Amino acid sequence: MGSRPAAQVGHSRKVYIQRDYSQGLGLRYSTAMPPQLQDRMPEDLFEAAIVNINQILAGAENGSVGVYAESCFACLTGYLIYMCMDTHYERSLKEVRKLIEEYNRTVFMPRRLMMIDPSERGLRVIEVVLLS
Amino acid sequence: MPKRWEVYPGKSQVLCSGRCISAKNLSVFYLTLALIVISSCLFLAFDCRLLAVTLSPSVPVLAAVQFIFVLCCLLRTTFSDPGIIPRGTPDEAAWIESQLEGPQVDRDGNYRPPVRLKDVQINGRVFKLKYCFTCKLWRPPRASHCSTCDNCVDRFDHHCPWVGNCVGRRNYRYFYLFLISLSVYCLYVMVFGIVNLVLLSNMRKDFLMAMKESPTSVLTILVAFFSIWSVVGLGGFHTMLICRETSTNEDIKGSFNQRRHPDLINPFDQGNGLANCCYVLFGPVTPSLLNFREDEIGLGSSISLVTNNGRNGTVSAAAASTAVTATPAVRYSNLTRNNNDATSNSVGHVNNSVQVISESLPAQLPGDGNDVIVKNGNGAPADGVISGGTDAVGAQNSNTQSASSVHCIV
């Protein structure tokens, strides 16, 4: 693996957690902890946080009867219903945002870390900022 | 501060202040639009006069309904985000590119370009992920870079000049609905155009005379006839693709062609055609990842925004960074492992909020036993639970970053 230098921006550094495609195309992030975080938080804690995020994201992309029914209903209304309500996917992403805010407040900030919501990064990566 | 659509780097055209996006060159789209609109107007204005009277007034009504539906599908396909993946930030690019092997010269003196592939296994099949140097990201397995629009598009199907946009994950269902509805509409117009001519020729007892009397019918029939071949053909082709859960791009490349490579499986196939159809046409839709209407936060700030809600405005990066760097020790001392039993009222408040919030966390986070106490293991709905907790936090820390996070949760 080797050590990967964290990207340097100003006086803080950033590490990036990439997408994990081993289980399919679904929205999932790698649970492997980058070495730069090892001195700041325990590995199992980090992994649990990512696993929880992945669980919500998995629900976003799976088709279920409820999701299909919602899509059909939206199609019948000419998709105008989406002016009043969020799609299932958007609701899941909002849940992830809330969860990350809680984690930041309770788990990451006390350890001088900050996790950036992947929606801010186009769902490409989860960015973790190492605060100085 | 500029909005994100103002600093968009690709070649697509951004319209309506970031609400719509399409290809830059829309000339063929205007042709499509003109053909549909002009033929429909001619049909409704001229052919339907006789048909409404002789057959039924529902003929023009149905035609109008179909015309509106076709237009809606077309406009939706043209002006919606096809699934563009936003470009990576410079920090991400630096991080990823530092891990790629650089260009090398091997023993024979041959130049090897930088390696930008990595293998991933998806459901038993090895995929090569490519790193897109333009967009600075690892391209997801079904994404492809459109050179016309200069974007990576998720589940890239093809770039359609007739529609004036890429067809990708987010607008494929509208494109397919457009094809199907246009096929039906072309057939409808052609059939009733012919019926109109036949009725007219019966009245005039001369077919040629009928054609001279209603030349627009002839024009409409011809346009519909020649359109049907291509539209129905394309519709049938896409129906087959949907049932096999393949995109046009993958079909052209032969990624999942089982005749050529019998051991290849399509890992995205849900098993049967109907399941694939349901998923592609009615499955969940990603929201647009471009977030064009939000402010573009400058990359000079040390902390990118965390608590940003597009509807309620954004936290300025400067405020966020000063709030976080100035007060973390004071604010969070009572949440650390050793300080859980603080006695002051305000801290007790915060402790309550932490316990209440923790109900939404699915399980006790291992290694952090004292801080986060789970009362019930099921994920209780976050909204009702969290707002009570964060109000306590927000009231206590009125001028710090958490105020904006209360803003977002509500």
Side-chain angles (χ1 to χ4, degrees):
Chain A
M1 283 244 288
S3 65
R4 303 168 190 176
Q8 301 271 343
V9 175
H11 57 273
S12 64
R13 296 175 302 148
K14 300 176 182 180
V15 294
Y16 294 96
I17 294 135
Q18 301 286 336
R19 290 271 293 266
D20 173 20
Y21 294 111
S22 59
Q23 316 264 322
L25 210 60
L27 204 44
R28 226 188 112 84
Y29 291 94
S30 167
T31 51
M33 181 153 113
Q36 287 81 7
L37 301 181
Q38 258 158 19
D39 56 342
R40 299 224 187 178
M41 72 184 294
E43 194 163 337
D44 44 5
L45 182 60
F46 177 82
E47 198 177 306
I50 302 286
V51 162
N52 290 341
I53 292 171
N54 284 341
Q55 268 172 4
I56 302 177
L57 294 176
E61 288 210 339
N62 287 339
S64 67
V65 176
V67 175
Y68 292 150
E70 188 191 298
S71 293
C72 286
F73 175 67
C75 180
L76 290 173
T77 64
Y79 298 103
L80 295 170
I81 195 78
Y82 287 139
M83 299 202 306
C84 315
M85 72 180 216
D86 288 331
T87 62
H88 167 75
Y89 210 109
E90 281 169 343
R91 290 197 293 272
S92 304
L93 291 183
K94 280 190 175 169
E95 251 187 82
V96 168
R97 172 171 291 160
K98 284 179 197 173
L99 186 64
I100 289 183
E101 280 168 8
E102 302 320 310
Y103 281 154
N104 274 335
R105 195 175 305 129
T106 58
V107 175
F108 290 109
M109 291 294 205
R111 295 173 169 85
R112 292 175 300 123
L113 295 170
M114 190 161 84
M115 185 179 266
I116 309 285
D117 183 13
S119 309
E120 301 293 332
R121 295 288 173 263
L123 298 179
R124 297 180 301 268
V125 288
I126 295 179
E127 184 177 320
V128 179
V129 182
L130 282 72
L131 304 167
S132 51
Chain B
M1 191 171 291
K3 298 277 182 191
R4 285 191 192 181
W5 66 269
E6 288 167 331
V7 296
Y8 167 69
K11 285 190 202 162
S12 296
Q13 200 178 170
V14 181
L15 306 161
C16 300
S17 301
R19 292 183 182 90
C20 305
I21 184 166
S22 74
K24 217 169 198 102
N25 186 1
L26 288 178
S27 41
V28 187
F29 164 70
Y30 291 136
L31 176 66
T32 312
L33 203 58
L35 277 174
I36 295 174
V37 169
I38 293 173
S39 314
S40 301
C41 289
L42 289 177
F43 177 75
L44 288 169
F46 295 104
D47 295 27
C48 286
R49 283 189 214 168
L50 184 62
L51 290 169
V53 166
T54 321
L55 286 179
S56 154
S58 63
V59 170
V61 168
L62 274 179
V65 166
Q66 285 181 75
F67 168 61
I68 290 170
F69 187 73
V70 166
L71 265 192
C72 287
C73 289
L74 174 63
L75 294 175
R76 186 103 197 199
T77 312
T78 305
F79 294 114
S80 65
D81 174 8
I84 295 173
I85 306 172
R87 295 194 181 189
T89 56
D91 295 333
E92 278 175 59
W95 165 272
I96 296 172
E97 285 173 11
S98 65
Q99 299 162 32
L100 299 177
E101 271 178 47
Q104 291 177 18
V105 180
D106 66 14
R107 275 171 291 161
D108 302 328
N110 299 318
Y111 171 75
R112 281 196 307 147
V115 174
R116 48 183 231 174
L117 297 174
K118 70 178 178 185
D119 286 343
V120 289
Q121 268 240 351
I122 302 178
N123 290 341
R125 207 207 117 141
V126 174
F127 270 87
K128 280 194 162 0
L129 279 195
K130 241 182 180 175
Y131 178 70
C132 182
F133 274 105
T134 314
C135 300
K136 307 289 182 204
L137 50 86
W138 283 108
R139 224 177 271 155
R142 303 186 86 180
S144 190
H145 191 94
C146 175
S147 47
T148 316
C149 304
D150 206 23
N151 295 312
C152 276
V153 178
D154 198 8
R155 201 190 183 277
F156 180 71
D157 197 82
H158 65 287
H159 181 96
C160 186
W162 296 97
V163 150
N165 202 359
C166 292
V167 177
R169 185 173 169 179
R170 291 190 76 246
N171 64 354
Y172 188 57
R173 62 191 66 187
Y174 309 121
F175 176 71
Y176 182 71
L177 273 177
F178 167 66
L179 285 179
I180 299 301
S181 59
L182 189 61
S183 315
V184 170
Y185 186 53
C186 280
L187 207 60
Y188 185 91
V189 164
M190 193 175 78
V191 163
F192 281 101
I194 293 173
V195 165
N196 180 51
L197 278 183
V198 165
L199 285 173
L200 209 53
S201 68
N202 282 347
M203 282 161 56
R204 305 282 180 264
K205 304 284 186 264
D206 182 8
F207 193 70
L208 277 174
M209 184 67 110
M211 275 169 61
K212 274 189 205 162
E213 196 175 323
S214 180
T216 57
S217 293
V218 180
L219 182 66
T220 321
I221 292 169
L222 282 176
V223 167
F225 178 74
F226 286 115
S227 304
I228 276 183
W229 292 107
S230 43
V231 175
V232 170
L234 202 56
F237 174 64
H238 278 281
T239 309
M240 191 244 336
L241 284 183
I242 287 176
C243 291
R244 293 197 315 191
E245 243 296 26
T246 318
S247 66
T248 308
N249 197 36
E250 287 158 354
D251 190 66
I252 288 174
K253 289 196 289 197
S255 310
F256 306 128
N257 189 334
Q258 291 196 311
R259 264 175 280 151
R260 223 182 286 165
H261 311 278
D263 54 334
L264 267 190
I265 45 155
N266 182 350
F268 313 112
D269 200 334
Q270 308 235 348
N272 67 55
L274 191 62
N276 288 335
C277 277
C278 283
Y279 189 75
V280 173
L281 298 178
F282 301 112
V285 178
T286 332
S288 174
L289 300 173
L290 292 167
N291 291 331
F292 270 154
R293 301 283 299 157
E294 290 171 7
D295 291 329
E296 172 70 13
I297 302 295
L299 296 164
S301 57
S302 58
I303 295 168
S304 312
L305 59 96
V306 172
T307 54
N308 175 33
N309 182 341
R311 290 209 184 99
N312 293 334
T314 62
V315 178
S316 73
S321 55
T322 49
V324 169
T325 52
T327 59
V330 172
R331 222 154 29 98
Y332 295 106
S333 60
N334 46 19
L335 294 179
T336 54
R337 193 188 295 264
N338 300 322
N339 208 0
N340 209 29
D341 48 0
T343 52
S344 74
N345 211 17
S346 57
V347 174
H349 233 336
V350 174
N351 266 345
N352 283 341
S353 70
V354 171
Q355 290 179 352
V356 165
I357 287 165
S358 71
E359 282 184 289
S360 68
L361 296 175
Q364 185 177 354
L365 294 180
D368 204 14
N370 294 332
D371 292 345
V372 176
I373 301 161
V374 176
K375 285 194 178 163
N376 55 351
N378 62 342
D383 300 59
V385 169
I386 286 179
S387 54
T390 50
D391 275 341
V393 177
Q396 189 190 358
N397 307 309
S398 55
N399 59 342
T400 55
Q401 193 188 12
S402 62
S404 52
S405 48
V406 171
H407 198 211
C408 296
I409 288 169
V410 167

